[in-house]
Amino acid sequence: MQATPSSFPDRDTVASKIAALNAEDQSWLKLLLENVQQEENLLQGLSLFLDQQSQARFLNSLKLEKCGEWFGENAPARLQIRLHEVSKSSQHAAFTAFRAGLTKSGGLEKAYPKAPV
C-alpha cells in the first residue's frame, strides 16, 4: 500500500491558524512546516490567507510583516524559495508586507548563503 499525502489539514484550516498565529497555532504550524507531505497544503493555506487579507476592509500590514518574518525564521530551507514565490504572486500590499517580513527574517539567505567572491 502506497502512502499518499493527506488532505488534512485543508487550506481553510491552515489559513485560520496563520490568521490567529498565537502560541498554540505557531506550534501547530511548526509541525506542519517539518512535514514534507503537508507542504502543498501549507502553501495553499498561506495563499488563501494572503488572498483573504488582500480582500479585507482593513489591511494590517504590521501583522502581515510579522507573519512573514515568523515564516522566514521558522520554515526549513526547502520551503524558503517557495515562500518567496507565494509572496511575489501578487502586487497587492498584503503580499508586499508579507514579503517584507520574509526578507527581514533573512531566511532565504540562511538557507542559501551567498558564495564568497
Side-chain angles (χ1 to χ4, degrees):
M1 189 164 144
Q2 183 177 349
T4 58
S6 171
S7 63
F8 180 80
D10 62 10
R11 66 188 205 130
D12 295 320
T13 303
V14 174
S16 68
K17 297 284 187 181
I18 295 170
L21 207 60
N22 58 37
E24 183 181 316
D25 294 327
Q26 287 178 8
S27 297
W28 187 85
L29 287 166
K30 283 180 184 178
L31 288 173
L32 203 59
L33 287 168
E34 294 172 11
N35 188 343
V36 177
Q37 293 179 335
Q38 296 295 336
E39 198 169 291
E40 287 305 315
N41 294 338
L42 174 75
L43 294 171
Q44 287 176 8
L46 177 59
S47 294
L48 177 62
F49 165 72
L50 291 171
D51 287 339
Q52 290 169 342
Q53 294 301 306
S54 68
Q55 296 170 11
R57 294 184 77 190
F58 174 74
L59 180 67
N60 189 340
S61 58
L62 181 60
K63 178 182 177 180
L64 287 160
E65 187 174 331
K66 294 260 186 221
C67 182
E69 195 171 349
W70 184 88
F71 270 97
E73 291 170 354
N74 291 286
R78 72 175 197 286
L79 281 176
Q80 291 295 333
I81 289 177
R82 298 208 49 205
L83 288 171
H84 278 271
E85 287 172 352
V86 168
S87 74
K88 292 178 181 181
S89 64
S90 172
Q91 292 300 314
H92 190 278
F95 288 77
T96 304
F98 181 80
R99 184 171 52 249
L102 274 177
T103 303
K104 187 176 178 181
S105 74
L108 190 61
E109 288 77 22
K110 289 180 220 162
Y112 302 99
K114 293 181 179 178
V117 181

